[in-house]
Amino acid sequence: MKVSVKQDAPVDRLLINDIKEALRSAAPFTDNDSWDNLVVVTENPAELHSEASEPTTEKINLEPVAPELEPLDEKSPNAQGFVRQTQPRNAEASKLLIDSIKIPKPLTIEIARKETRLMADLLAEHPQIEVVRETLELGSFRVTDDAGNQLLIERKRCASEDVDDDFESSMKKGGQLFDMAARLKFEVDNSDHQVIPILILEGNLHTKASTLLIQQLDGAISYLAAVQRISVLTSLNANHSAYMIAKLAGHFIEGSYEPSVSRGPKPKTLFNQKIHVLESIPGVSTHIAETLLERFGSIKAIAAASQGELARVKGVGLKRAREISDVLGR
């Protein structure tokens, strides 16, 4: 038996796997037979008939016929990994029950108006989750705890078609992806409370992307994670994304998340000691502390400044100016 496939374009490995399964079903082989042995036996019908208890007469029609496929080594890590992925896992992810997640107390998930109705309906299946549609400046989903800390989740689909929330499209359309990442990073650095940014990539990015190279996709992910400090997670489909969002929200709201506290050595220089004091004020980052000292010269001068003067310093604003005045004794 000889199998050939017309190759007008690179052949999907799923097709190769389908051919292999068809060959197995047409001949008395076990799962332990290697692909190489399978090819050898099918090229030698006499050997097939001598080993099999009953010769098979089933034929496989895979026309049109053209160049032969090279055998795929099933023992290779790439082949084994590919066989285990996609369809079985997608089916498993689709069956995840969102209302099975243990959430100890009611919580609210704000969903951007740009998000699909499906995502809202899936999250609303949990009796402890209240879904509220909002016009969010950042993220697709937002969860806020009792202390005012925020969990910001952006969902990007990895779709073959050109959709607004597609990861690949957002890279190409005026740098939307990187603009979003920069604004998330700014919010993290300058918020009065803790902000946790997360990006969920839904679907198989490297398979679905059609116009960008693998190194371009990987470069974008690396930039988001290493430079902009955004956690990048993956999901298989919409139900899986909703399940992950509910799980993240539950962990965040129940107190599993605790802001990290720096316990390193105390600064030795006078300037760094001043920076350390200013950084203890909510919303004051190292950069803002340095800017304040450059503008006013000392903590005493900062404490004596009016809220208007403080607010005019780049990155401070009225809200943070009030915080600074309150902490420094005004």
Side-chain angles (χ1 to χ4, degrees):
M1 178 166 53
K2 186 175 183 180
V3 177
S4 300
V5 176
K6 184 177 180 180
Q7 187 174 353
D8 292 330
V11 179
D12 193 329
R13 288 191 177 181
L14 282 175
L15 176 59
I16 297 176
N17 291 332
D18 290 341
I19 295 172
K20 289 157 61 178
E21 291 304 319
L23 289 172
R24 286 195 181 95
S25 64
F29 298 116
T30 67
D31 290 337
N32 293 325
D33 286 310
S34 69
W35 175 241
D36 292 335
N37 290 339
L38 183 59
V39 172
V40 171
V41 174
T42 53
E43 289 179 348
N44 296 275
E47 184 177 346
L48 171 63
H49 293 306
S50 64
E51 292 185 2
S53 57
E54 293 183 6
T56 179
T57 58
E58 183 178 347
K59 296 181 179 180
I60 302 175
N61 185 6
L62 292 173
E63 294 184 351
V65 176
E68 295 182 29
L69 291 174
E70 294 184 6
L72 179 66
D73 182 7
E74 284 190 71
K75 295 182 180 180
S76 70
N78 289 338
Q80 292 176 3
F82 193 84
V83 170
R84 290 194 299 268
Q85 69 179 1
T86 61
Q87 295 175 344
R89 283 297 189 182
N90 276 324
E92 181 182 350
S94 297
K95 295 177 182 178
L96 292 169
L97 299 177
I98 295 172
D99 58 3
S100 68
I101 298 173
K102 294 182 179 180
I103 299 179
K105 59 182 180 180
L107 61 86
T108 299
I109 297 181
E110 297 171 286
I111 301 182
R113 299 190 185 278
K114 65 178 182 179
E115 265 296 338
T116 63
R117 180 177 178 180
L118 173 62
M119 292 301 295
D121 291 344
L122 288 171
L123 288 169
E125 291 178 1
H126 200 291
Q128 294 282 64
I129 293 178
E130 178 187 5
V131 174
V132 178
R133 285 280 189 179
E134 292 286 352
T135 302
L136 301 181
E137 294 183 2
L138 287 173
S140 306
F141 307 87
R142 181 171 65 193
V143 183
T144 307
D145 67 10
D146 295 336
N149 302 311
Q150 291 185 349
L151 176 67
L152 289 178
I153 303 173
E154 178 75 20
R155 180 177 76 111
K156 289 294 182 185
R157 287 187 288 174
C158 307
S160 299
E161 66 276 10
D162 188 14
V163 293
D164 290 338
D165 60 351
D166 177 58
F167 182 82
E168 184 181 18
S169 297
S170 66
M171 286 181 61
K172 297 184 296 181
K173 292 180 179 178
Q176 292 177 1
L177 177 70
F178 304 109
D179 176 66
M180 176 274 297
R183 289 188 294 120
L184 274 176
K185 181 68 162 51
F186 181 84
E187 183 70 13
V188 171
D189 291 342
N190 296 281
S191 175
D192 293 341
H193 300 89
Q194 296 291 329
V195 177
I196 304 175
I198 294 176
L199 172 65
I200 293 181
L201 295 181
E202 182 181 299
N204 192 322
L205 174 63
H206 295 92
T207 299
K208 296 293 185 181
S210 57
T211 61
L212 296 179
L213 299 174
I214 289 179
Q215 53 265 43
Q216 291 176 302
L217 299 171
D218 290 347
I221 295 173
S222 174
Y223 174 81
L224 293 173
V227 178
Q228 301 293 42
R229 306 298 174 90
I230 298 173
S231 298
V232 181
L233 308 179
T234 60
S235 70
L236 295 171
N237 50 42
N239 190 70
H240 191 195
S241 293
Y243 185 89
M244 291 182 64
I245 292 167
K247 179 76 77 173
L248 287 164
H251 283 158
F252 173 76
I253 213 74
E254 72 178 347
S256 297
Y257 166 73
E258 294 182 1
S260 59
V261 178
S262 175
R263 302 188 182 278
K266 294 181 179 180
K268 295 181 179 180
T269 66
L270 180 59
F271 180 79
N272 287 336
Q273 288 171 0
K274 293 178 181 179
I275 294 292
H276 187 70
V277 170
L278 293 173
E279 284 179 328
S280 67
I281 302 173
V284 176
S285 63
T286 302
H287 176 70
I288 292 177
E290 291 175 346
T291 304
L292 286 168
L293 285 173
E294 289 174 1
R295 168 66 178 80
F296 295 102
S298 67
I299 293 179
K300 183 178 180 180
I302 295 172
S306 67
Q307 291 185 13
E309 291 174 321
L310 294 172
R312 285 192 289 273
V313 175
K314 185 177 180 180
V316 176
L318 285 174
K319 184 178 179 180
R320 195 169 287 111
R322 286 194 294 269
E323 292 276 2
I324 294 171
S325 294
D326 291 342
V327 171
L328 295 182
R330 289 188 59 81

